[in-house]
Amino acid sequence: MCGSDKKLDKIRALILVGGYGTRLRPLTLSRPKPLVEFANKPILMHQIEALVDAGVTEVILAVSYRAEDMEKELTEQVSKLGVSLTFSHETEPLGTAGPLALARELLNTSTEPFFVLNSDVICEFPFKDLAKFHRNHGKEGTIVVTKVEEPSKYGVVLYKENGEIESFVEKPQEFISNKINAGIYILNPSVLSRIELRPTSIEKEIFPFMAQDGQLYAMELQGFWMDVGQPKDFLTGMCLYLNSLRQKNSSKLHNGIEVVGNVLVDPTATIGKGCRIGPNVTIGPDVVIEDGACIKRTTILRGACVRQHAWLDGCIVGWRSVVGRWVRMENCTVLGEDVIVKDELYVNGGQVLPHKSIALSVPEPQIIM
Amino acid sequence: MLKAVILIGGPQKGTRFRPLSLDTPKPLFPLAGLPLIQHHIAACAKLEECKEILIIGSYPTTVMTQFVADMQKEYRLIIRYLYEFMPLGTGGGLYHFRDQVRAGNPTGFFLLNGDVCADFPLKKLWKFHDEKPDGLVTIMGTEATRQQSVYYGCMVRETNTNAVTHYVEKPNSYVSTLINCGVYVCSLQVFQVMAEAFQRKQDRFYSANGHGGPEYMSWEQDVLSQLAGTHKLYALQVTNWWSQVKTAGSAIYANRHYLELHQNKSSDAPCKILPDVFIHPTAIVHSTAVIGPNVSIGAGVTIKAGVRIKESIVLNNATVHEHSLVMYSVVGQDSSVGEWSRVEGTPSDPDPNKPFAKMDNTPLFNNDGRLNPSVTILGAGVTVPAERILLNSIVLPHKQLNRSYKNEIIL
């Protein structure tokens, strides 16, 4: 078994981390997006672990800002996995292709193909199958495509039965396909010769020409897929992820009389009496859920506290935040780090910046500075 | 000997108190655990000289019988309900039953509007009236803001004698900040003035070929306005708490003040209480509930574990289920609030930053045709399902809700 995987061992990966993650504010005001925990694990760790599973030993992170805390924390976490981490810093944002040109030297050290992925994507990562599919067709690149319900919001991919891509259509007005680019690729180093070191979009300026040359193939993703770059999708992605966990590894999910449906609870969290938790809830380390709370479709991050009789649906509760007694929060409310919501308030779609104490209800969606 | 007359109007009146008045006649709506006009009766009963209370209104007798019997028993007074065969106006009913008032030849009588609530200073009023031998009527007056005064009866007084020189009901422009509280002391001779007013009405009725009711008479316009400037009408300005009870929103405000006046009603608390709170002895309240301030819980109500109620009135036999929150709301009788639900209204208290400000009896809808945020009201037999929010809404009786509502009237 090891013998057959030997070639795969040399595969490298580049993750497009990009900028400040403004779409996931107010969470990303306290913590770089790759470190924001999705289902109790930093978003980036989901990807790195999947890459390591596929035998990747070298990961390059393309980052357009310096965050020493993040580099230190990630290097620590990743070293345990036996994979080396290199940071490639952009002095100006280079889009989705430019970072590949910037990392040209690192990627050119071998003739083996490498993985490229967008850092916001959460799915059942198909790296092994992707590498196999790529080697079988023998062309320059393969992109993973996924089926979506409303393709008109995205660019769709048209390809032949064997996977050879014919064309890309941006935001189609009439239905032509429901397959979109999932943001996961495998490319031969030869592709680097197509990319200049300037801000470039890989989707718009590189892939269409590769497709014209018959050098780009599509592989269909099995299972769920979500871009979790903004709060609403973060929660949807969490539901899909927990559902997938139920099917694949249900022992990781929490059981108990207070639990309904798929719920992930860190062992250091405590849950009071008479609560109803779930469906689709993630509770982080050191979180305290007091008696009689009801929580649905929500992520509670490390060290937060939900006090008695509170009711939460569709929320992200930031690190060390406190949700008061009899509080009702719903409709994609996001509390930043260390926010206090006083007792008995109603928060409807509030985006609350870090270290804020809220003493008045927020009946309509708004940003609280 | 003194008497008291309480004017309660009829079912055609008090429509702004709907939907609460759809199930319970407004005069019997409980505030701090007692029917609205029981507070009047209790104030009268404190005066030893007061021997009889006459309640005049056009509610069917059957609606009032039980209440009158209960009151007789509780206060050991003669209490009678006098039924107006048709709405006769604030003066017409009193004049129609003048013989009932005069019977036994009392020295005078109190006249109380049923739709006000106050810390009635009846003794002080009587003393004041008694010292004015020529006075036929003394009005209890209070200070209002310039802007709000025009919604009330406005009075101008002679500073040395306190005689009312000018009286106008709800003027179009500013007249005076001294307003009529709807609480009076009258001498029996007032009926002679009323007889003259009645005669004028009759003359007008027959000369206009039967236009306008022959017996309809407004106490304010046909009597008080006539008496002003004759040194027969006086006003005593008081600073006691007083408010009208017009809208359902004012019930929450009135409840708070009556609770404050009759503190320590419930001796042993069934759960954590933030005063002032009234809990009927037959209510079942779980020990983990937190109730108050300003809450009245009616007979046969069930409050389950982890419930929070503040600034609200919960009427008879309602059930509030686990972990739910009720604030600035009235929960109708036999209604049910589901677990983890939130029933919330907006307080419509007088502006606390303005001295002498009264309740703004704002209309139901604003200029854009949208509901003005006010207390949330559940009519009788309404069911709010689990985990929903009901915000600034009014639910008519016997409605089963199946979703959340905000700023809506639910028919």
Side-chain angles (χ1 to χ4, degrees), chain A residues 274 276 292-294 296 309-311 326 328 330 344-346 348 361 363, chain B residues 290 306-308 310 323-325 339-340 342 344 387-389 391 404 406:
Chain A
R276 191 200 292 163
C294 177
K296 312 191 310 194
H309 316 298
W311 184 91
W326 288 288
R328 181 187 180 97
E330 61 186 334
E344 300 163 18
L345 296 183
Y346 172 47
N348 173 23
S361 285
Chain B
V290 180
V307 164
R308 177 79 182 96
K310 64 178 193 182
H323 317 296
S324 56
L325 170 75
E339 56 180 359
W340 280 300
R342 182 183 182 96
E344 179 180 4
E387 301 182 43
R388 298 302 195 274
I389 179 167
L391 192 63
S404 291
K406 293 176 189 175

Side-chain angles (χ1 to χ4, degrees), chain B residues 318-330:
Chain B
T319 305
V320 184
H321 288 275
E322 288 85 351
H323 317 296
S324 56
L325 170 75
V326 176
M327 59 193 274
Y328 291 104
S329 299
V330 179

Side-chain angles (χ1 to χ4, degrees), chain B residues 169-181:
Chain B
E169 186 68 17
K170 299 187 182 70
N172 288 318
S173 56
Y174 169 71
V175 171
S176 162
T177 54
L178 182 64
I179 61 163
N180 174 1
C181 293

